[in-house]
Every structure is written in C-alpha cells, then in structure tokens.
Amino acid sequence: MTSFDTTPQLNVWRALLALAVVFVMLATTGWTALRRHRDAAPLTAWEKGHTGGHRLPDPDSAPAELARFFASLTKAQRVGLARRFPLAVGNMNGAPVTLRYRANRIALGQAREVERARMRDPLLTPAGQQQAGRRMNRFTSLMGPGRQILAFDPSGSGRAAEVFGDLRGAERVSVVVPGVDTDLLTFQRTHRRHTAPVGMARSLHAAEYAAAPSVRTAVIAWADYTAPSGLGMESAMAARAEDGAVRLDALLRALPGEARVSLFCHSYGSVVCGVAAPALPGRVTDIAVAGSPGMRAESVTDLRTHARVWAMRDADDWIQDVPYLEVGGLGHGADPVSPAFGARVLSAREARGHSGYFVPGTDSLRNFAEIGVGAYRAVDCAHGNGVCRADVSGAAASGRA
C-alpha cells in the first residue's frame, strides 16, 4: 500500500509550497518589489518614412534583410536616417553598428532633455522629479566619450546594450546576459560596480585581454530585454525569458563578421539563455551560466544546442536554496551544476555570493575569460578534477587542475 506521505499528489503540493515559501522569503530579504513596466517600440514614424523616394523596410524584417537595405544606401542617406529616426535605427538589428552608436547618442541626447524638463514639472511629485534627475544623469553618463551604445530604449524602466572593444574587428565576441532588476538605472553602478551589466562586461573584457592579449575581443553588456522586477511570480516563470530569448537571437544574428560568440548568463539571464539555446546561430560556441535558478531544462541534452554548456555556482550563493524543478510553469528546471544535468562545471572560488562572479581576482572571472578567448584547456574545473575539460581543445594548454 502506498503511504500518504509519498503519494504523487502530495509531492506536487510540497513542491509548489516549497517554491512559494522560498520566493516569499527571498522577496523579504533584500529584493525589490515588483514594478510596472511597458515595452514601447518607437517605430511608428519609421514605418511611415521614406528615403530616396522609397518606403523604408519593415523594422521587424530579418537582420540580414535590414543589413542589405542599409548597404544599398549612401553614407549621407544612412546618417540622415539616424538623425530622423534615432530610436528606430539605434535599436535595429541589421543596421551597421557604428550607425547604431551614432543614432543612440542622438536618442540619448533627446531623452536627456525630456528628463531635464520633467525635473521641473510641477505636476510631478518630488519623488517623480528626483527620478527624472536620476534618469537624466544616467543618460548623460551613457553619452560619455568613447561609449558605444548598441541599443537604447528609454520607455518604461528602459533597456540598453553597450559594446567594449571593436565589435566589427573582433575574433571572439562575448555577450553578458544579466538577470532580474536590470534596467537603465541599474545598467551601471558606482558602488559594487561588478554587479551591474556595464561593470560585468568591462571586467570580462579586461580579463580576456589579460588571458590572451593577441586575441581581438569584444564584449557586449546586453540588457536589451525587459527583465523581471524583483523576486515574484515574473521571476519564477519564463515569460520574460521567452521574450528575452527572441531579442537575444536577433542580436546574435545581426552581429558583424564571423567571430565566434560566447554567452555569459547570470541568474535569471541563464533562463533567457536556456530558452534561446535550441535556436542559437552556429557561431555561438559556448553558453556559460553562473548563479542559475535553472535553464528551463532537465539536462544539457534537453537544451538541444550545439554549444558547449558550462556552469558554476559559488558555495555562498543563496540561489542554491531555490527548488530546482518546474511545476505548472513555476520554477526553471534542474540545477545546472548537478552531475545529472551534464554541464561542464567550473570553479567559482572567491566569487562571494550571488553577485560576485565578475569580480577581478576570482576563479569565476578567470574561467569566463578563458572561455571567451577560446582557451578551454586553461579553465579550472570545480573540485579540481579536470572533468570539465574533457574532449575540448583550445589556444591555451596549461592543463591546470
């Protein structure tokens, strides 16, 4: 006779209860509350526009088709479109990257003036005016000398992406995919800067140069999806990841050149990468996740990807207390660092908690950098057993244990 304590129904209820309890506990210990958001694409004017007597193409066209359109224009026509439709061109996968940088600088300047006016708007509360000031300062910072803004959307909580290095001339491209509570105001931080996308990407780019100075690399801080706000139902489900996966795929298919690409996915960003995995273009060689709540899969095989899958988790990371399962749409599946999942498990020594994986001097950052430059034989495996390096080859061959 089956015991009541082991009935399938009770086990399901226990799983749901465990999810609810953990999410509530985490939500009351430092995570921000849910915020409203909106995803508005400023493309109406573009859709009605013309250049050279011809209608402009559908902004949702495939990146290759949009690339052919921009290649057919003169330089003056391209620049003219960036000036007339900066938010459209700056976010258009298929537009030349340098044109996107230019368009986004114009869009940032326009958005900054909007926020400057809002700071003095008597209809806003003092808190609203203060928020406008924070946004104005952020837009000013993003317009700083040498900054290469690949995507910018000020609507709602906002989205952005920034490039470090020469994207057009890179031999290897790394994309940092962040997790919850990522928006324009958290895109970069002055304090604890390596916990924000800009700091993560800048740190990784420096580490890649240190690992292989002769390899031309570029790193993208990619916060161009609407991440869940706080630790609530949105972060426990895959809707935001599904939207993010579509946007990530569009970015990857629009990258210039033929450089190999590695994805570095943190926290909920690993859910995005897991959902995106089956459809990734062939140039994506590696998916590395850190502090993952799951990848919406029970194993690497379930990801149906040609890319190598790497995983790491610091011993002090609270994410290990999240139930690794998926029930009724809640939860994100198996633990990527578990042996049964089948990922190549990397060392994360000295990472310190959930947000320390990109801090200089950590094993986690060193391992990310070695993957980013293709030096797979140089990575440090978890437990010092060398298992994660099995059946791989790379530029470096130090064979560290």
Side-chain angles (χ1 to χ4, degrees), residues 2-49:
T2 302
S3 166
F4 177 78
D5 288 343
T6 59
T7 61
Q9 294 89 343
L10 183 59
N11 288 336
V12 169
W13 280 108
R14 280 177 167 170
L16 289 171
L17 179 61
L19 280 169
V21 169
V22 171
F23 289 142
V24 169
M25 289 177 61
L26 293 174
T28 58
T29 55
W31 285 79
T32 62
L34 288 173
R35 294 189 300 269
R36 295 183 65 185
H37 63 270
R38 52 191 171 92
D39 294 326
L43 297 172
T44 303
W46 170 276
E47 292 169 345
K48 297 178 180 179

Side-chain angles (χ1 to χ4, degrees), residues 91-263:
N91 291 285
M92 196 166 289
N93 289 308
V97 293
T98 53
L99 188 67
R100 292 179 67 172
Y101 299 158
R102 184 175 197 148
N104 284 321
R105 186 173 184 83
I106 295 170
L108 279 161
Q110 294 175 349
R112 179 176 62 177
E113 294 311 306
V114 169
E115 299 301 333
R116 192 190 306 276
R118 293 180 70 241
M119 288 174 61
R120 301 185 295 270
D121 187 344
L123 298 179
L124 289 181
T125 64
Q129 292 174 340
Q130 183 180 40
Q131 182 81 344
R134 292 181 63 199
R135 286 169 62 90
M136 186 195 74
N137 290 334
R138 175 49 38 84
F139 299 161
T140 299
S141 176
L142 293 175
M143 294 174 67
R147 300 199 72 166
Q148 302 177 131
I149 306 304
L150 187 65
F152 168 69
D153 183 352
S155 65
S157 57
R159 297 192 292 253
E162 182 171 8
V163 175
F164 297 88
D166 179 5
L167 189 56
R168 292 186 301 170
E171 300 171 86
R172 307 276 312 197
V173 174
S174 298
V175 182
V176 175
V177 183
V180 300
D181 283 336
T182 299
D183 56 33
L184 280 172
L185 291 180
T186 60
F187 186 55
Q188 64 184 50
R189 292 190 175 103
T190 301
H191 303 291
R192 299 179 67 241
R193 61 185 181 275
H194 300 113
T195 68
V198 167
M200 292 176 179
R202 183 177 282 126
S203 180
L204 179 58
H205 190 232
E208 288 180 348
Y209 179 79
S214 63
V215 178
R216 300 189 306 275
T217 62
V219 180
I220 303 173
W222 188 79
D224 193 24
Y225 80 106
T226 302
S229 298
L231 193 64
M233 292 300 291
E234 277 189 345
S235 61
M237 302 182 77
R240 293 295 177 202
E242 290 166 356
D243 174 70
V246 172
R247 298 182 68 83
L248 178 61
D249 183 73
L251 165 82
L252 297 171
R253 294 184 185 281
L255 292 176
E258 299 179 354
R260 294 183 179 182
V261 179
S262 300
L263 305 181

Side-chain angles (χ1 to χ4, degrees), residues 201-355:
R202 183 177 282 126
S203 180
L204 179 58
H205 190 232
E208 288 180 348
Y209 179 79
S214 63
V215 178
R216 300 189 306 275
T217 62
V219 180
I220 303 173
W222 188 79
D224 193 24
Y225 80 106
T226 302
S229 298
L231 193 64
M233 292 300 291
E234 277 189 345
S235 61
M237 302 182 77
R240 293 295 177 202
E242 290 166 356
D243 174 70
V246 172
R247 298 182 68 83
L248 178 61
D249 183 73
L251 165 82
L252 297 171
R253 294 184 185 281
L255 292 176
E258 299 179 354
R260 294 183 179 182
V261 179
S262 300
L263 305 181
F264 298 93
C265 320
H266 177 245
S267 194
Y268 189 85
S270 67
V271 186
V272 176
C273 292
V275 174
L280 291 174
R283 67 193 300 182
V284 178
T285 58
D286 299 275
I287 304 171
V289 302
S292 174
M295 300 180 72
R296 305 298 292 189
E298 293 304 311
S299 68
V300 167
T301 300
D302 287 344
L303 290 173
R304 294 181 288 120
T305 180
H306 59 271
R308 283 174 289 266
V309 180
W310 311 79
M312 65 171 70
R313 185 175 65 222
D314 179 67
D316 296 328
D317 191 337
W318 56 257
I319 202 74
Q320 63 191 303
D321 297 323
V322 170
Y324 283 96
L325 46 80
E326 188 274 323
V327 179
L330 283 173
H332 300 302
D335 182 355
V337 303
S338 67
F341 190 80
R344 300 172 183 272
V345 184
L346 297 161
S347 170
R349 283 191 300 267
E350 301 179 6
R352 296 184 182 179
H354 187 61
S355 301

